[in-house]
Amino acid sequence: MPRTLFEKIWTDHVVRSAPGEPDLVYVDLHLVHEVTSPQAFEGLRLTGRGVRRADLTLATIDHGVPTIDREHGISDPRSRQQIDTLIANCQEHEITLYGLDDPRQGIVHIIGPEQGMTQPGMTIVCGDSHTSTHGAFGALAFGIGTSEVEHVLATQTLPQSRPKAMAVNVTGELPAWSTAKDIILAIINRIGVGGGTGHVIEYRGDTIANLSMEGRMTVCNMSIEGGARAGLIGPDETTFAYLKGRPQAPSGDAWDAALDYWRGLPTDDDAGFDFEVGLNAAEIPPYVSWGTNPAQSATVDGAVPAPGDFEDPSEQEHTANALAYMQLEPHTAITDITIDRVFLGSCTNGRIEDLRAAAAVLEGKRVHGDVHAMVVPGSGLVKLQAESEGLDEVFTAAGFEWRDAGCSMCLGMNPDILQPGERCASTSNRNFEGRQGRGGLTHLVSPAMAAAAAVAGRFVDIREWAD
Amino acid sequence: MEPVRRIEGTMVPLMRSHVDTDQIIPKQFLKRVERSGFGPFLFHDWAYDHEGELRPDFVFNQPEYQSATVLVTGHNFGSGSSREHAPWALIDWGIRAVIAPSFADIFRNNSLKNGLVPIILSDEEVERIAAVAGDPAAEVVIDVEAGTVTAGGVTVSFFLDPFVKHCLLNGLDDIAITLDHESEISAFEAARPGFKPSLA
């Protein structure tokens, strides 16, 4: 019976299956951060339970950390309390923690792959919805709430009802200046923010196969923005080459055994999906979001819609609400939208290739006088790598701030926030109302588009602008 | 978790689609290390203007809705972040059930872990109940075991997965249920391949 990648991983992790009950699924890796874990550890204390597998648990500090002046400590007392709580919990339960003094500290979804912890065929969970990032390696990775974090800490398993399988096939050659970010924005624009609800998406097709691991992570990262439980991509030679030699990747005989297993994981020919969608990569230009959810986006040569452009009354109302919040008039050309801020970073686009792409655009140019721009590398190691390549000098010479690693202005839990009415070209994943700061106006774009907007002071069609 | 068998009270309508968890509980309030105390910040950025003044037109601020126990809302409620602070905030405010045509997956799971009942009805049924909820005094009765919502003299049925319903009705601690199968977890662990990563 032909099976999908998702079915194979699921089957290999079912500890217990009983009629009328959710399957009990084993968790290979549990990633923990400071915001969604304190109540889970407190739950363990109240019930007298311990952490079952500290060796399969990795913690870091990312959501609330400052990205400048770290030597002065954390000034926000509540963030400091959350971080101190995580440090104490990790000490008590002997959990590995990459703290602020560790060069490996960074965004939880950047450090797993970077260390080689994220491998094909694994189940990975974290109290964060962008856990789907790890699906790029052919792992089943999904976000969970704090009660589930407690469940995994105590049992290393989760009772889960099995999601449906959805295929998104992207085929053809991606045009110049279009990126993995544009692919996923195009997909979400097509399926809608709730289109993947109840499903695990497998991204397939030659366009996906031709992406680097970092591009694949960008695509899988935003699966949740289409409502999907998880997103994944069949592991292949690109995956194996990325993993080989990383600190936590298997080596020697274990590498060969792993490779044997990994090669059997990709979806079998003729395996069926519950739902399939197809996109032609040749028809994916750079995208810019205009609204207050990631499906509300337009191509860079397009314009903001009017509520009347939609037939569905609830979509009309949703569009009107979004335009009012975003302070945009219907039918404004995307390239007529001016910006105040640029944020380059996040688990979506905070990796080395993202920084290289932005730096290539910025080389020899200056940030527009009305724009405040910052780069926040996804991890301490990404920062070091960029500095070894001289990218930090390109950014600072252009007028960008060069900061320390963390989630930063993707969600604004630290001091990096937009002021009311500030408009931002952001490489992050969510443009919800107030996401980057109350009253802030977020437009989601690729790193190259964000860099070009920083220079021009407005969105530009990078395909023409760069020439 | 306390058993949840029957929810009675009144309703509050918030008829928008895609209400995301950043709206339910904005990030500046996620810094508590407790599960309680989030209620005053529910829908904060809609409830207060930029000067911190209460917006009297926002439905959750209207005096006649202050004792509501059931939220009626639009499609894809709870989309976005995995923050369990969202159901904690709703519960802390006094909400015991949410009626919508669809929910985001993680929010739905998080709600059930806390005894907040997510009830999926058809678009037409939700609209009809929202119309009833326009009267803040209109009563609603949710019978979890029977799977019914009664409001405005009409009773409609909803589906809950039988296992989910069993856990709600009995207030079960699902970690305890899982730990009953500890020997199966140990057996699974003994058979895990040696190449899987470990931080030991």
Side-chain angles (χ1 to χ4, degrees):
Chain A
M1 174 91 181
R3 295 186 301 162
T4 64
L5 166 62
F6 159 66
E7 288 176 290
K8 293 179 193 183
I9 301 174
W10 187 273
T11 307
D12 285 356
H13 289 83
V14 172
V15 172
R16 181 176 189 276
S17 192
E21 290 180 28
D23 286 351
L24 190 63
V25 176
Y26 198 80
V27 174
D28 287 322
L29 175 63
H30 184 195
L31 299 161
V32 172
H33 64 85
E34 76 274 24
V35 176
T36 55
S37 67
Q39 296 88 350
F41 284 107
E42 181 63 14
L44 293 182
R45 255 186 295 280
L46 292 173
T47 49
R49 292 169 180 146
V51 173
R52 183 179 180 90
R53 294 295 300 264
D55 60 325
L56 306 184
T57 310
L58 173 62
T60 193
I61 297 165
D62 56 4
H63 280 62
V65 296
T67 56
I68 46 168
D69 298 333
R70 281 191 182 166
E71 59 280 13
H72 302 314
I74 297 157
S75 55
D76 178 345
R78 284 209 166 270
S79 284
R80 195 167 62 233
Q81 183 195 16
Q82 265 189 339
I83 289 165
D84 289 345
T85 303
L86 180 63
I87 292 169
N89 285 327
C90 288
Q91 275 168 353
E92 181 183 343
H93 297 284
E94 299 181 342
I95 292 168
T96 304
L97 168 73
Y98 296 164
L100 287 187
D101 52 353
D102 192 315
R104 296 170 295 182
Q105 176 267 337
I107 307 173
V108 67
H109 308 309
I110 303 242
I111 65 173
E114 198 167 67
Q115 291 301 311
M117 285 297 292
T118 300
Q119 297 171 18
M122 288 173 66
T123 46
I124 301 174
V125 300
C126 174
D128 188 281
S129 59
H130 293 111
T131 308
S132 55
T133 312
H134 307 265
F137 291 79
L140 177 63
F142 52 91
I144 57 177
T146 298
S147 294
E148 291 175 311
V149 169
E150 183 179 340
H151 199 117
V152 178
L153 288 171
T155 71
Q156 204 57 32
T157 64
L158 267 184
Q160 290 283 305
S161 49
R162 184 162 154 163
K164 291 181 183 152
M166 173 171 172
V168 173
N169 299 295
V170 190
T171 52
E173 193 176 343
L174 198 61
W177 296 106
S178 292
T179 67
K181 182 64 161 287
D182 304 300
I183 294 175
I184 189 62
L185 285 172
I187 291 170
I188 297 164
N189 183 275
R190 168 78 73 84
I191 68 173
V193 281
T197 304
H199 289 76
V200 167
I201 298 177
E202 182 178 331
Y203 302 98
R204 297 163 60 79
D206 58 290
T207 316
I208 301 295
N210 287 331
L211 291 175
S212 68
M213 285 317 295
E214 299 203 353
R216 295 180 192 185
M217 284 187 251
T218 300
V219 171
C220 289
N221 171 273
M222 290 186 66
S223 302
I224 183 71
E225 311 312 334
R229 203 77 183 84
L232 37 64
I233 293 171
D236 59 12
E237 296 307 318
T238 303
T239 320
F240 310 145
Y242 178 97
L243 276 167
K244 193 159 177 110
R246 293 197 178 254
Q248 301 296 334
S251 58
D253 291 345
W255 172 264
D256 295 334
L259 208 55
D260 265 356
Y261 176 64
W262 297 345
R263 287 194 199 286
L265 288 170
T267 294
D268 299 327
D269 294 342
D270 306 325
F273 290 88
D274 298 297
F275 188 64
E276 294 205 45
V277 178
L279 275 83
N280 179 358
E283 294 167 6
I284 301 179
Y287 269 73
V288 180
S289 78
W290 52 262
T292 53
N293 74 48
Q296 292 179 315
S297 62
T299 59
V300 66
D301 51 2
V304 172
D309 296 349
F310 299 90
E311 278 181 25
D312 174 18
S314 88
E315 198 55 40
Q316 291 176 359
E317 190 192 350
H318 194 51
T319 303
N321 287 342
L323 292 181
Y325 178 82
M326 291 297 290
Q327 303 174 21
L328 289 170
E329 293 299 321
H331 300 142
T332 304
I334 292 293
T335 51
D336 284 341
I337 299 173
T338 58
I339 57 159
D340 310 297
R341 303 283 296 265
V342 172
F343 172 65
L344 179 56
S346 84
C347 57
T348 311
N349 281 128
R351 285 169 288 266
I352 190 67
E353 289 178 12
D354 302 312
L355 271 49
R356 286 180 191 144
V361 170
L362 292 170
E363 185 88 56
K365 296 193 174 72
R366 285 287 302 170
V367 169
H368 190 277
D370 297 336
V371 175
H372 174 189
M374 62 164 84
V375 193
V376 180
S379 72
L381 292 178
V382 169
K383 185 176 189 192
L384 288 173
Q385 174 66 31
E387 288 173 349
S388 77
E389 297 178 17
L391 302 184
D392 56 324
E393 289 170 24
V394 176
F395 283 116
T396 50
F400 269 76
E401 289 177 13
W402 180 246
R403 293 186 167 228
D404 288 319
C407 300
S408 179
M409 212 165 72
C410 175
L411 87 164
M413 274 196 75
N414 74 348
D416 308 343
I417 56 169
L418 295 179
Q419 298 306 309
E422 279 192 325
R423 193 176 294 281
C424 181
S426 179
T427 66
S428 56
N429 42 55
R430 288 200 174 125
N431 49 347
F432 295 155
E433 287 184 27
R435 172 77 179 178
Q436 295 191 291
R438 190 168 182 200
L441 313 172
T442 302
H443 296 271
L444 306 174
V445 287
S446 71
M449 282 285 289
V455 173
R458 61 183 173 85
F459 290 109
V460 292
D461 190 336
I462 192 163
R463 299 169 299 180
E464 298 159 7
W465 184 84
D467 291 335
Chain B
M1 193 174 87
E2 293 296 310
V4 183
R5 299 199 174 93
R6 190 180 166 87
I7 297 161
E8 296 180 22
T10 57
M11 299 175 282
V12 51
L14 181 68
M15 293 315 291
R16 294 174 70 128
S17 333
H18 311 299
V19 173
D20 58 73
T21 53
D22 275 78
Q23 307 319 313
I24 299 171
I25 181 83
K27 74 254 172 193
Q28 60 268 38
F29 307 110
L30 302 185
K31 295 177 182 175
R32 299 177 68 80
V33 296
E34 303 86 18
R35 286 176 192 252
S36 56
F38 294 98
F41 313 116
L42 180 69
F43 296 117
H44 179 274
D45 290 359
W46 288 343
Y48 295 89
D49 65 18
H50 284 287
E51 281 69 50
E53 297 293 322
L54 210 66
R55 286 179 166 144
D57 55 333
F58 183 58
V59 69
F60 272 78
N61 288 340
Q62 292 167 7
E64 56 273 32
Y65 283 109
Q66 292 309 303
S67 55
T69 52
V70 176
L71 168 62
V72 188
T73 189
H75 270 284
N76 197 30
F77 186 79
S79 57
S81 135
S82 67
R83 60 189 72 164
E84 198 160 315
H85 314 67
W88 293 339
L90 286 160
I91 292 165
D92 206 49
W93 193 88
I95 299 296
R96 295 289 171 266
V98 183
I99 296 173
S102 62
F103 290 91
D105 289 329
I106 307 178
F107 175 83
R108 194 174 157 279
N109 280 348
N110 286 343
S111 296
L112 289 165
K113 303 281 181 196
N114 291 278
L116 176 69
V117 188
I119 295 171
I120 299 175
L121 297 177
S122 71
D123 287 283
E124 295 72 30
E125 288 165 338
V126 172
E127 275 172 36
R128 201 164 65 221
I129 290 177
V132 175
D135 171 7
E139 290 182 0
V140 61
V141 176
I142 294 166
D143 184 329
V144 175
E145 182 152 32
T148 57
V149 179
T150 304
V154 179
T155 297
V156 293
S157 297
F158 64 90
F159 175 78
L160 272 181
D161 174 85
F163 185 76
V164 163
K165 187 189 281 188
H166 171 73
C167 290
L168 278 174
L169 289 171
N170 296 289
L172 296 179
D173 168 1
D174 63 356
I175 298 180
I177 298 175
T178 296
L179 288 174
D180 282 345
H181 306 296
E182 204 279 331
S183 59
E184 288 160 89
I185 300 173
S186 293
F188 182 92
E189 285 177 328
R192 286 180 79 228
F195 58 75
K196 295 267 183 178
S198 157
L199 292 158

